[in-house]
PDB file of all heavy atoms in Angstrom:
ATOM      1  N   PRO A 220       7.429 -30.606 -56.884  1.00  0.00           N
ATOM      2  CA  PRO A 220       8.159 -30.925 -58.106  1.00  0.00           C
ATOM      3  C   PRO A 220       9.644 -30.673 -57.952  1.00  0.00           C
ATOM      4  O   PRO A 220      10.069 -29.763 -57.264  1.00  0.00           O
ATOM      5  CB  PRO A 220       7.550 -29.958 -59.136  1.00  0.00           C
ATOM      6  CG  PRO A 220       7.006 -28.825 -58.315  1.00  0.00           C
ATOM      7  CD  PRO A 220       6.566 -29.441 -57.026  1.00  0.00           C
ATOM      8  N   ALA A 221      10.429 -31.516 -58.602  1.00  0.00           N
ATOM      9  CA  ALA A 221      11.872 -31.315 -58.581  1.00  0.00           C
ATOM     10  C   ALA A 221      12.212 -30.077 -59.387  1.00  0.00           C
ATOM     11  O   ALA A 221      11.482 -29.675 -60.275  1.00  0.00           O
ATOM     12  CB  ALA A 221      12.567 -32.542 -59.184  1.00  0.00           C
ATOM     13  N   ALA A 222      13.345 -29.504 -59.071  1.00  0.00           N
ATOM     14  CA  ALA A 222      13.763 -28.287 -59.774  1.00  0.00           C
ATOM     15  C   ALA A 222      14.401 -28.665 -61.104  1.00  0.00           C
ATOM     16  O   ALA A 222      15.557 -28.418 -61.374  1.00  0.00           O
ATOM     17  CB  ALA A 222      14.746 -27.500 -58.920  1.00  0.00           C
ATOM     18  N   ALA A 223      13.623 -29.331 -61.935  1.00  0.00           N
ATOM     19  CA  ALA A 223      14.133 -29.792 -63.222  1.00  0.00           C
ATOM     20  C   ALA A 223      14.282 -28.613 -64.168  1.00  0.00           C
ATOM     21  O   ALA A 223      13.536 -27.655 -64.108  1.00  0.00           O
ATOM     22  CB  ALA A 223      13.150 -30.814 -63.819  1.00  0.00           C
ATOM     23  N   HIS A 224      15.267 -28.729 -65.061  1.00  0.00           N
ATOM     24  CA  HIS A 224      15.519 -27.637 -65.994  1.00  0.00           C
ATOM     25  C   HIS A 224      14.551 -27.712 -67.156  1.00  0.00           C
ATOM     26  O   HIS A 224      14.097 -28.774 -67.539  1.00  0.00           O
ATOM     27  CB  HIS A 224      16.956 -27.712 -66.505  1.00  0.00           C
ATOM     28  CG  HIS A 224      17.429 -26.415 -67.047  1.00  0.00           C
ATOM     29  ND1 HIS A 224      17.083 -25.979 -68.294  1.00  0.00           N
ATOM     30  CD2 HIS A 224      18.182 -25.446 -66.490  1.00  0.00           C
ATOM     31  CE1 HIS A 224      17.621 -24.798 -68.501  1.00  0.00           C
ATOM     32  NE2 HIS A 224      18.284 -24.458 -67.429  1.00  0.00           N
ATOM     33  N   GLU A 225      14.172 -26.566 -67.683  1.00  0.00           N
ATOM     34  CA  GLU A 225      13.305 -26.523 -68.843  1.00  0.00           C
ATOM     35  C   GLU A 225      13.992 -27.218 -70.018  1.00  0.00           C
ATOM     36  O   GLU A 225      15.214 -27.298 -70.103  1.00  0.00           O
ATOM     37  CB  GLU A 225      12.984 -25.081 -69.205  1.00  0.00           C
ATOM     38  CG  GLU A 225      12.158 -24.342 -68.160  1.00  0.00           C
ATOM     39  CD  GLU A 225      10.768 -24.922 -67.993  1.00  0.00           C
ATOM     40  OE1 GLU A 225      10.221 -25.461 -68.981  1.00  0.00           O
ATOM     41  OE2 GLU A 225      10.240 -24.867 -66.888  1.00  0.00           O
ATOM     42  N   ALA A 226      13.192 -27.672 -70.977  1.00  0.00           N
ATOM     43  CA  ALA A 226      13.733 -28.393 -72.124  1.00  0.00           C
ATOM     44  C   ALA A 226      14.498 -27.477 -73.060  1.00  0.00           C
ATOM     45  O   ALA A 226      15.337 -27.929 -73.822  1.00  0.00           O
ATOM     46  CB  ALA A 226      12.600 -29.091 -72.869  1.00  0.00           C
ATOM     47  N   THR A 227      14.193 -26.189 -73.035  1.00  0.00           N
ATOM     48  CA  THR A 227      14.888 -25.246 -73.891  1.00  0.00           C
ATOM     49  C   THR A 227      15.124 -23.952 -73.131  1.00  0.00           C
ATOM     50  O   THR A 227      14.647 -23.791 -72.013  1.00  0.00           O
ATOM     51  CB  THR A 227      14.083 -24.991 -75.182  1.00  0.00           C
ATOM     52  OG1 THR A 227      14.866 -24.203 -76.086  1.00  0.00           O
ATOM     53  CG2 THR A 227      12.782 -24.267 -74.874  1.00  0.00           C
ATOM     54  N   THR A 228      15.885 -23.059 -73.737  1.00  0.00           N
ATOM     55  CA  THR A 228      16.180 -21.788 -73.066  1.00  0.00           C
ATOM     56  C   THR A 228      16.394 -20.711 -74.105  1.00  0.00           C
ATOM     57  O   THR A 228      16.606 -21.002 -75.294  1.00  0.00           O
ATOM     58  CB  THR A 228      17.432 -21.917 -72.172  1.00  0.00           C
ATOM     59  OG1 THR A 228      17.571 -20.730 -71.383  1.00  0.00           O
ATOM     60  CG2 THR A 228      18.685 -22.094 -73.005  1.00  0.00           C
ATOM     61  N   LYS A 229      16.339 -19.469 -73.672  1.00  0.00           N
ATOM     62  CA  LYS A 229      16.648 -18.324 -74.522  1.00  0.00           C
ATOM     63  C   LYS A 229      17.779 -17.541 -73.878  1.00  0.00           C
ATOM     64  O   LYS A 229      17.711 -17.192 -72.700  1.00  0.00           O
ATOM     65  CB  LYS A 229      15.430 -17.422 -74.698  1.00  0.00           C
ATOM     66  CG  LYS A 229      14.328 -18.011 -75.569  1.00  0.00           C
ATOM     67  CD  LYS A 229      13.188 -17.010 -75.721  1.00  0.00           C
ATOM     68  CE  LYS A 229      12.106 -17.594 -76.639  1.00  0.00           C
ATOM     69  NZ  LYS A 229      11.451 -18.767 -76.038  1.00  0.00           N
ATOM     70  N   ALA A 230      18.819 -17.287 -74.652  1.00  0.00           N
ATOM     71  CA  ALA A 230      19.878 -16.381 -74.219  1.00  0.00           C
ATOM     72  C   ALA A 230      19.556 -14.997 -74.778  1.00  0.00           C
ATOM     73  O   ALA A 230      18.931 -14.872 -75.829  1.00  0.00           O
ATOM     74  CB  ALA A 230      21.227 -16.864 -74.733  1.00  0.00           C
ATOM     75  N   HIS A 231      19.971 -13.970 -74.048  1.00  0.00           N
ATOM     76  CA  HIS A 231      19.709 -12.595 -74.473  1.00  0.00           C
ATOM     77  C   HIS A 231      21.034 -11.852 -74.583  1.00  0.00           C
ATOM     78  O   HIS A 231      21.882 -11.950 -73.684  1.00  0.00           O
ATOM     79  CB  HIS A 231      18.802 -11.881 -73.470  1.00  0.00           C
ATOM     80  CG  HIS A 231      17.455 -12.524 -73.320  1.00  0.00           C
ATOM     81  ND1 HIS A 231      16.330 -12.053 -73.935  1.00  0.00           N
ATOM     82  CD2 HIS A 231      17.062 -13.619 -72.616  1.00  0.00           C
ATOM     83  CE1 HIS A 231      15.293 -12.818 -73.627  1.00  0.00           C
ATOM     84  NE2 HIS A 231      15.720 -13.777 -72.825  1.00  0.00           N
ATOM     85  N   ALA A 232      21.207 -11.126 -75.680  1.00  0.00           N
ATOM     86  CA  ALA A 232      22.451 -10.379 -75.891  1.00  0.00           C
ATOM     87  C   ALA A 232      22.118  -8.965 -76.355  1.00  0.00           C
ATOM     88  O   ALA A 232      21.333  -8.784 -77.291  1.00  0.00           O
ATOM     89  CB  ALA A 232      23.327 -11.069 -76.920  1.00  0.00           C
ATOM     90  N   GLU A 233      22.691  -7.985 -75.683  1.00  0.00           N
ATOM     91  CA  GLU A 233      22.573  -6.592 -76.107  1.00  0.00           C
ATOM     92  C   GLU A 233      23.968  -6.124 -76.506  1.00  0.00           C
ATOM     93  O   GLU A 233      24.901  -6.112 -75.690  1.00  0.00           O
ATOM     94  CB  GLU A 233      22.005  -5.726 -74.990  1.00  0.00           C
ATOM     95  CG  GLU A 233      21.700  -4.320 -75.443  1.00  0.00           C
ATOM     96  CD  GLU A 233      20.675  -3.627 -74.562  1.00  0.00           C
ATOM     97  OE1 GLU A 233      20.042  -4.308 -73.733  1.00  0.00           O
ATOM     98  OE2 GLU A 233      20.528  -2.411 -74.711  1.00  0.00           O
ATOM     99  N   VAL A 234      24.108  -5.742 -77.776  1.00  0.00           N
ATOM    100  CA  VAL A 234      25.416  -5.433 -78.352  1.00  0.00           C
ATOM    101  C   VAL A 234      25.423  -3.974 -78.806  1.00  0.00           C
ATOM    102  O   VAL A 234      24.582  -3.567 -79.616  1.00  0.00           O
ATOM    103  CB  VAL A 234      25.735  -6.361 -79.547  1.00  0.00           C
ATOM    104  CG1 VAL A 234      27.154  -6.120 -80.043  1.00  0.00           C
ATOM    105  CG2 VAL A 234      25.550  -7.825 -79.148  1.00  0.00           C
ATOM    106  N   THR A 235      26.365  -3.200 -78.284  1.00  0.00           N
ATOM    107  CA  THR A 235      26.461  -1.782 -78.627  1.00  0.00           C
ATOM    108  C   THR A 235      27.911  -1.405 -78.898  1.00  0.00           C
ATOM    109  O   THR A 235      28.836  -2.093 -78.469  1.00  0.00           O
ATOM    110  CB  THR A 235      25.920  -0.894 -77.489  1.00  0.00           C
ATOM    111  OG1 THR A 235      26.648  -1.190 -76.278  1.00  0.00           O
ATOM    112  CG2 THR A 235      24.441  -1.129 -77.242  1.00  0.00           C
ATOM    113  N   GLY A 236      28.111  -0.284 -79.614  1.00  0.00           N
ATOM    114  CA  GLY A 236      29.469   0.200 -79.828  1.00  0.00           C
ATOM    115  C   GLY A 236      29.683   0.756 -81.214  1.00  0.00           C
ATOM    116  O   GLY A 236      28.751   0.849 -82.035  1.00  0.00           O
ATOM    117  N   THR A 237      30.897   1.120 -81.494  1.00  0.00           N
ATOM    118  CA  THR A 237      31.296   1.629 -82.809  1.00  0.00           C
ATOM    119  C   THR A 237      32.687   1.097 -83.141  1.00  0.00           C
ATOM    120  O   THR A 237      33.554   1.004 -82.269  1.00  0.00           O
ATOM    121  CB  THR A 237      31.351   3.172 -82.826  1.00  0.00           C
ATOM    122  OG1 THR A 237      32.245   3.622 -81.792  1.00  0.00           O
ATOM    123  CG2 THR A 237      29.977   3.780 -82.609  1.00  0.00           C
ATOM    124  N   GLY A 238      32.873   0.737 -84.392  1.00  0.00           N
ATOM    125  CA  GLY A 238      34.198   0.357 -84.878  1.00  0.00           C
ATOM    126  C   GLY A 238      34.920  -0.664 -84.026  1.00  0.00           C
ATOM    127  O   GLY A 238      34.504  -1.808 -83.886  1.00  0.00           O
ATOM    128  N   ALA A 239      36.031  -0.210 -83.417  1.00  0.00           N
ATOM    129  CA  ALA A 239      36.918  -1.124 -82.708  1.00  0.00           C
ATOM    130  C   ALA A 239      36.432  -1.494 -81.321  1.00  0.00           C
ATOM    131  O   ALA A 239      36.926  -2.455 -80.729  1.00  0.00           O
ATOM    132  CB  ALA A 239      38.313  -0.505 -82.610  1.00  0.00           C
ATOM    133  N   ASN A 240      35.471  -0.751 -80.780  1.00  0.00           N
ATOM    134  CA  ASN A 240      35.050  -0.965 -79.398  1.00  0.00           C
ATOM    135  C   ASN A 240      33.591  -1.424 -79.340  1.00  0.00           C
ATOM    136  O   ASN A 240      32.681  -0.685 -79.733  1.00  0.00           O
ATOM    137  CB  ASN A 240      35.224   0.315 -78.582  1.00  0.00           C
ATOM    138  CG  ASN A 240      36.658   0.797 -78.574  1.00  0.00           C
ATOM    139  OD1 ASN A 240      37.567   0.039 -78.243  1.00  0.00           O
ATOM    140  ND2 ASN A 240      36.876   2.052 -78.961  1.00  0.00           N
TER     141      ASN A 240
END
Side-chain angles (χ1 to χ4, degrees):
H224 201 281
E225 294 295 330
T227 188
T228 189
K229 289 182 178 66
H231 299 260
E233 187 158 348
V234 186
T235 57
T237 56
N240 301 307

